Amino acid sequence: MDVNVDSAAEPDVDANTLREQLRNMTLRQQRFERYLGRELHTDSAGLTVMGHLVSVGPTSPTELARALGTSTAAMTLVIDRLVAAGHATRRPHPTDRRKVIVAPADDWEARSYAYVSPLIQGVTAAATNLTPEEQVTVASFLERIIGAYDHATHS
């Protein structure tokens, strides 16, 4: 009996397989965010705000609320929790003394990076190991998935 097993053969992939993999990735992302929240002692809303502050830089509570699609009252509660926990600071606005600016605490990026860096490194390695053609295909696929999310949420 001659059985030809090619370990390099690509598995059959169809739309159902891709949907299942995307679902698995989403579940892993949610699990990672819960883990990160436990390790950094903050909730999901706090992580979202901190992620925005790290990406965009210090900003006003009103701008944060607008960018994250929430009310200013709800944003104030999140900021209050972040400041009380030492994750963020409030400081006077540089040009408008009636406003404040919210910024990550000095050590926030270093503390959070310790938990996030293995994920960043893993994603970078996975992307780097793709051929240029595969990178184009994956990027195009992900753009279409993002478009599907935007369409579903009327964004």
Side-chain angles (χ1 to χ4, degrees):
M1 181 170 158
D2 187 12
V3 178
N4 185 5
V5 178
D6 183 5
S7 62
E10 294 293 321
D12 290 336
V13 178
D14 60 11
N16 289 330
T17 302
L18 291 174
R19 269 196 313 274
E20 183 66 18
Q21 289 294 61
L22 284 170
R23 187 179 78 76
N24 286 334
M25 188 176 71
T26 299
L27 292 172
R28 296 310 191 288
Q29 179 183 0
Q30 292 167 348
R31 182 170 61 188
F32 178 77
E33 288 175 2
R34 288 189 304 271
Y35 160 78
L36 188 60
R38 282 190 310 271
E39 294 299 316
L40 295 173
H41 308 289
T42 191
D43 59 11
S44 176
L47 287 175
T48 300
V49 169
M50 294 307 297
H52 186 79
L53 290 173
V54 168
S55 295
V56 174
T59 189
S60 74
T62 302
E63 292 166 344
L64 273 171
R66 188 176 307 119
L68 299 177
T70 190
S71 70
T72 53
M75 184 56 61
T76 298
L77 293 174
V78 174
I79 293 168
D80 287 346
R81 287 193 306 268
L82 292 169
V83 170
H87 299 313
T89 62
R90 283 187 177 103
R91 61 179 188 237
H93 191 281
T95 59
D96 187 341
R97 65 184 183 141
R98 296 168 296 165
K99 294 181 181 180
V100 297
I101 296 294
V102 181
D106 291 338
D107 66 341
W108 172 262
E109 286 186 62
R111 283 190 308 134
S112 61
Y113 188 75
Y115 298 103
V116 177
S117 66
L119 181 60
I120 293 169
Q121 291 168 2
V123 170
T124 300
T128 302
N129 288 325
L130 296 172
T131 66
E133 295 80 17
E134 289 171 327
Q135 289 176 355
V136 168
T137 300
V138 171
S140 175
F141 173 72
L142 292 174
E143 285 175 19
R144 284 182 255 161
I145 297 302
I146 291 166
Y149 274 100
D150 288 348
H151 178 74
T153 59
H154 308 288
S155 297

